[in-house]
Amino acid sequence: MSTTTTEIWQELDEVKAAVQQVLQHAKTLGATSAEASMNRTRGLSVETRHGEVETVEFNQDGGLGISVYVGQRKGSASTADLSPAALKRTVEAAVDIARYTSEDPYAGLPDAASLELNPPDLELFHPASVTTEQAIEWCKASEEAAFALDARITNSEGASFTSHQGLKVYGNSHGQIVGYPSSRHSLSCVVIGEEGDDMQRDYSYSVARELSELMSPEQIGREAAQETVARLNGRKLGTQKVPVIFRADIASSLFGHLVSAISGGAIYRKSSFLLDKVGQPVMSDKVTILERPHLKRALASSPFDSEGVKTSDRTILDAGVLTGYLTTSYSGRKLGLPSTGHAGGIHNWLVQHGDADLAQLCRDMGTGLLVTELMGQGVNTVTGDYSRGAAGFWVENGVITYPVSEITIAGTLQQMFMDIQAIGKDVDPRGGVLTGSVLLGQMQIAGH
């Protein structure tokens, strides 16, 4: 089911040629400039539940997106049909749209000097020859390990394995045609536990570029079971203000709100609570965030952004001080700034941490709340208001004492960011924001 390295580079050349033809066709139709991206993916997905196979899917798909500019008028179109005839029709549709849109003085391709013409190899492509039978066995083993751990695990919502590989190519009429292949493998398990009248569910998962870097199926099953039974017989809390720890696997959401608040689009629309904050402290001086787009094999690594602009190392926060906003070519022009290479998102944020593990953070906190799940969407990055449903554990004198459920935690992002006391070394590697658990000095808890 996997593609060899030789085959993927041959396919990459074919896709580059197709993108080149698309751009040439746009030019012949009268486009002043154009940019196009094409991707292809293929993979295997398997799901089991109670040891029975629920789904087996082999997928092979792709798509093309193109934006053309007729002067300062922009038209965009996309297609999932990659036949030559469909690609031509898509270009024609984009050109037709551009003739009718309003002129926008900020529209256009990225500046040629900002483009990545020779992308480095970041070792993102690690294909794996996984048979359907192997994938099914891994899923079954994960569920079996969960059931074997504790008799209170009474049901399963299933285990799933995916292995996907693909490539993406970006090109524009500056003469840039670049691309690279990548792979991603994952395994997860979700189980349900019961004790008395209480029922809880939780999960565990692993994701990596290389198959051998996944956690074992048994480890994932055991962790899913441990997480689930730990939540049984959760209690409510009284309304109060206490210190709070966001466990590493959900602490990344805090920094996700920072991403939204410092994105160029939010800034030029004046819809961010961090407007006009460059060069000022926006978080505790305990927080330094480095961006490292070129880490080998990392999940959020990329040699260029979705506009072909070079990605580069940068410091996002320096001891709490905001160094700049995250711009695309469009938002950058709106703000009078260069693109920072953030079209399409961020690239490996490394949140610097101290020497404390989660147990030490609990001891440092003393008495308070350890949050392990967040629910709802009650976050406003225009005002900074924050209110979300939560579950987790009550910590007394530095020791986890009982599970907590059906509460709400509230505050403002401004206050929360400045109130960060420590960041743990228990870094969760499964995403684009690599952070340990985060201790906040105080938040409002709404309970019974």
Side-chain angles (χ1 to χ4, degrees), residues 200-439:
Q200 296 289 339
R201 68 183 285 281
D202 216 318
Y203 65 94
S204 179
Y205 74 99
S206 183
V207 58
R209 295 284 187 188
E210 188 166 12
L211 185 66
S212 64
E213 294 177 0
L214 291 182
M215 290 162 52
S216 73
E218 293 78 11
Q219 188 178 355
I220 289 169
R222 287 192 296 268
E223 191 171 282
Q226 288 164 353
E227 292 285 323
T228 301
V229 298
R231 296 180 59 163
L232 287 167
N233 299 312
R235 308 182 199 175
K236 295 181 181 179
L237 293 174
T239 296
Q240 56 192 301
K241 286 187 177 181
V242 294
V244 169
I245 294 173
F246 283 71
R247 196 172 66 179
D249 53 329
I250 62 162
S252 57
S253 69
L254 281 177
F255 302 103
H257 303 316
L258 175 66
V259 174
S260 299
I262 64 173
S263 70
I267 299 302
Y268 80 70
R269 294 186 186 96
K270 301 188 184 303
S271 58
S272 169
F273 73 96
L274 293 180
L275 194 64
D276 300 323
K277 294 294 186 182
V278 173
Q280 297 182 38
V282 300
M283 275 195 179
S284 156
D285 61 9
K286 306 278 197 309
V287 185
T288 291
I289 301 175
L290 309 178
E291 184 168 51
R292 295 293 181 261
H294 299 163
L295 296 179
K296 301 286 180 72
R297 305 185 183 198
L299 293 172
S301 290
S302 181
F304 52 86
D305 73 357
S306 61
E307 297 182 314
V309 173
K310 293 177 184 177
T311 54
S312 57
D313 291 353
R314 63 180 63 244
T315 300
I316 305 298
L317 292 186
D318 186 1
V321 175
L322 180 64
T323 64
Y325 294 126
L326 311 179
T327 57
T328 62
S329 57
Y330 185 84
S331 64
R333 289 187 192 116
K334 281 271 197 179
L335 295 167
L337 300 168
S339 170
T340 56
H342 284 98
I346 62 169
H347 318 284
N348 300 321
W349 275 20
L350 311 183
V351 182
Q352 303 300 282
H353 57 78
D355 296 327
D357 58 12
L358 179 57
Q360 183 61 51
L361 283 185
C362 288
R363 288 192 289 271
D364 293 343
M365 176 171 70
T367 296
L369 178 68
L370 169 61
V371 178
T372 59
E373 183 181 22
L374 291 168
M375 295 153 276
Q377 305 297 321
V379 184
N380 186 332
T381 53
V382 179
T383 63
D385 291 340
Y386 186 100
S387 178
R388 297 188 70 182
F393 298 91
W394 185 250
V395 177
E396 194 81 42
N397 296 321
V399 178
I400 292 174
T401 55
Y402 55 83
V404 171
S405 61
E406 297 181 41
I407 59 170
T408 299
I409 57 173
T412 67
L413 288 170
Q414 294 95 318
Q415 172 257 325
M416 292 163 65
F417 285 176
M418 297 304 291
D419 205 18
I420 292 174
Q421 308 288 308
I423 296 171
K425 65 178 182 180
D426 55 330
V427 175
D428 185 347
R430 298 174 296 184
V433 178
L434 306 177
T435 179
S437 298
V438 176
L439 169 61

Side-chain angles (χ1 to χ4, degrees), residues 1-12:
M1 187 56 210
S2 72
T3 302
T4 67
T5 302
T6 301
E7 289 171 335
I8 200 75
W9 288 108
Q10 289 173 344
E11 187 175 355
L12 196 65

Side-chain angles (χ1 to χ4, degrees), residues 17-38 63-70 73-100 171 173:
V19 169
Q20 184 68 63
Q21 290 170 1
V22 162
L23 295 171
Q24 185 58 43
H25 189 45
K27 184 177 180 181
T28 61
L29 293 175
T32 314
S33 59
E35 59 184 340
S37 62
M38 188 185 293
L64 169 105
I66 182 167
S67 293
V68 302
Y69 302 90
V70 178
R73 302 174 188 272
K74 178 183 178 180
S76 298
S78 62
T79 179
D81 182 349
L82 299 183
S83 66
L87 296 181
K88 275 193 163 186
R89 288 195 300 271
T90 305
V91 177
E92 289 157 8
V95 174
D96 284 343
I97 292 167
R99 297 190 194 284
Y100 295 101
S173 48

Side-chain angles (χ1 to χ4, degrees), residues 123-144:
E123 299 177 15
L124 305 181
F125 181 61
H126 298 274
S129 295
V130 180
T131 66
T132 306
E133 291 74 22
Q134 281 177 317
I136 291 170
E137 285 306 310
W138 290 335
C139 289
K140 287 182 176 180
S142 185
E143 285 191 284
E144 288 169 3

